Amino acid sequence: MSKIPVIIDCDPGHDDFIALALALASDKLDVKGIVTVAGNQTLEKVTVNALKAVELMGRTDVPVVAGSAKPMRKAHVPVPQVHGESGLDGPSLPDPTTQVLDKNFVDFYADILRESSEKVTILAVGPLTNIATLFYCHPELVEKVAAINVMGGANRAVDFKDYPCKGAEFNIWQDAESAHYVFDLDVPVTMFGLDMTYQTCVTPAEFERFAAEGGKVGKVVSQLLTFFYRCQEKNGMKACPIHDACPVAYTIAPEMFQVEHRDITVEYEGEHTYGFTYVDMRVYKEPGKKNYWCVSTDRDAFVEMLIKACKSYD
C-alpha cells in the first residue's frame, strides 16, 4: 500500500516533539512538510524547535516552514510556565544548522495539495490559525484534503494550573475563531480532545523505558517527559499525557481508537466560554457536519508504538 501523504502543523512543544518523532519514523506516512504556528511559544522559538527535531531524527529532507505568528483576532499568549522559555525545556539540544524553507506557508500548503496525486491528511496539533488561513485564501483546495486530525478541545470544562485558558483547552482557546472555521469545513475533522488524550498518560517508570530502550531519540523523549511532568504534578496527575501524538497514532493505526460521528461547535464569542468545544451528544440527532470525536484508545499499545518509533532512529 502507498504511504499516506501528510502535513504536520505544530507548535513544538514537548508533546509536539514526540508527535514528530512518531510521524517521521512511520513507514505508513509520507510527511510532506512541517508547518509551525505560534502556540506553546512564539513562532520563532517553536520553529527552531521543529528544526532541532528533524536534525536529531536525521530527517532534514522534510521541509520546515514558518506559519502564523499570532492568532486571527487576539494577541498570542505563550505558556513558558508549562513548556519553558524555549518551548522545549529539559534536554540540551544543539542549535539547528538547517534553515526553514523560504516560502510563505499558504503557498507551501497550496503547492503540496495541488501537486499531490492523492488527497492529503493534515495533522494539526497546535492552534488552527494556519489551516483557517489556508482555506480562507484557497477554499477550492478543501477537496484535496482527505482529513484534518486535530489535537484540541474537550467535551467538558477543564481547569489546570499554569494555563491561561479559563476552562478551555489551550490549542482551541489560543485561536477559537480559526478553530470554529476549521470545524465547519466540508472535510472530515476528527477531534482528539482532553477527554481522550488524558487516557494516553505515560508513567514515570515508562520514562525510564524510553531512555533505556528508545535509543538517542528515546533519551531525549525521556528528558522531555520528565520536564513536562512537573506541570502535570501541579494538577494532581501521576503520569504525563502525550496529547499531540494521538492524531498521528490514529492516522497510522486507526484500529487503536474509538471514534464517533458527532457535530462539534467551537465557541468564539462568549466572554466566559471562549475556546470551549461543544460535542453534540444527542442520540436522536443525525450529525450534519463531517466532525468526529475520538472517545478512547488502547493506552498500552499507544506507549509501545511510541517507544518503537524512538528506537527506529538508531
Side-chain angles (χ1 to χ4, degrees):
M1 293 180 63
S2 60
K3 293 183 178 182
I4 301 168
V6 302
I7 301 173
I8 303 173
D9 203 286
C10 58
D11 59 335
H14 294 68
D15 47 339
D16 304 73
F17 183 98
I18 299 170
L20 289 173
L22 180 58
L24 294 171
S26 176
D27 60 2
K28 294 186 178 180
L29 303 183
D30 177 12
V31 181
K32 298 292 188 180
I34 297 165
V35 185
T36 58
V37 62
N40 292 319
Q41 260 294 358
T42 64
L43 179 66
E44 179 181 6
K45 290 180 179 180
V46 300
T47 303
V48 167
N49 293 341
L51 293 171
K52 288 180 177 180
V54 296
E55 289 200 358
L56 176 69
M57 298 164 198
R59 292 301 310 272
T60 55
D61 58 301
V62 178
V64 175
V65 181
S68 301
K70 65 177 292 295
M72 285 286 186
R73 287 174 51 186
K74 66 183 183 69
H76 168 239
V77 183
V79 282
Q81 64 273 32
V82 177
H83 292 277
E85 287 298 328
S86 71
L88 205 61
D89 281 12
S92 179
L93 295 171
D95 292 335
T97 58
T98 310
Q99 301 295 313
V100 295
L101 185 66
D102 185 17
K103 192 170 190 176
N104 177 275
F105 76 92
V106 172
D107 293 339
F108 176 77
Y109 263 113
D111 287 348
I112 294 293
L113 293 175
R114 290 191 185 108
E115 293 168 8
S116 179
S117 59
E118 301 177 58
K119 290 189 176 184
V120 176
T121 295
I122 298 174
L123 304 178
V125 297
L128 294 171
T129 315
N130 293 339
I131 316 301
T133 304
L134 166 67
F135 293 118
Y136 182 82
C137 294
H138 294 288
E140 76 282 2
L141 293 178
V142 169
E143 65 181 24
K144 298 286 289 182
V145 176
I148 305 174
N149 296 335
V150 175
M151 190 280 121
N155 195 26
R156 57 184 174 86
V158 294
D159 184 19
F160 298 118
K161 295 177 182 178
D162 290 335
Y163 280 95
C165 30
K166 300 178 181 178
E169 184 277 327
F170 178 75
N171 282 347
I172 301 297
W173 174 87
Q174 187 73 254
D175 190 350
E177 288 83 0
S178 289
H180 178 87
Y181 182 87
V182 170
F183 275 86
D184 279 358
L185 290 171
D186 186 25
V187 64
V189 178
T190 301
M191 182 178 99
F192 296 80
L194 297 181
D195 320 78
M196 178 263 142
T197 63
Y198 270 96
Q199 299 174 32
T200 68
C201 285
V202 178
T203 67
E206 289 168 328
F207 300 174
E208 298 304 318
R209 283 194 62 200
F210 277 91
E213 302 174 30
K216 64 180 182 182
V217 174
K219 287 181 173 63
V220 172
V221 167
S222 180
Q223 294 169 342
L224 289 168
L225 291 171
T226 299
F227 183 93
F228 195 38
Y229 181 49
R230 297 173 190 174
C231 178
Q232 312 307 317
E233 283 186 299
K234 293 178 184 178
N235 293 292
M237 301 288 293
K238 302 299 182 184
C240 191
I242 317 295
H243 305 291
D244 290 345
C246 293
V248 179
Y250 172 75
T251 308
I252 295 169
E255 67 277 4
M256 283 174 47
F257 296 81
Q258 179 187 352
V259 173
E260 297 179 358
H261 189 189
R262 303 279 185 183
D263 284 340
I264 300 171
T265 301
V266 179
E267 172 57 55
Y268 65 98
E269 294 181 319
E271 178 182 354
H272 302 291
T273 55
Y274 180 89
F276 278 62
T277 47
Y278 169 66
V279 181
D280 194 332
M281 302 299 292
R282 290 177 289 179
V283 295
Y284 57 83
K285 181 181 178 295
E286 191 71 24
K289 299 193 293 182
K290 296 178 180 179
N291 296 163
Y292 298 85
W293 176 49
C294 187
V295 178
S296 63
T297 190
D298 182 336
R299 192 211 77 96
D300 292 346
F302 177 81
V303 173
E304 294 302 323
M305 175 187 280
L306 295 179
I307 294 173
K308 182 179 178 182
C310 291
K311 187 176 181 178
S312 72
Y313 290 100
D314 282 15

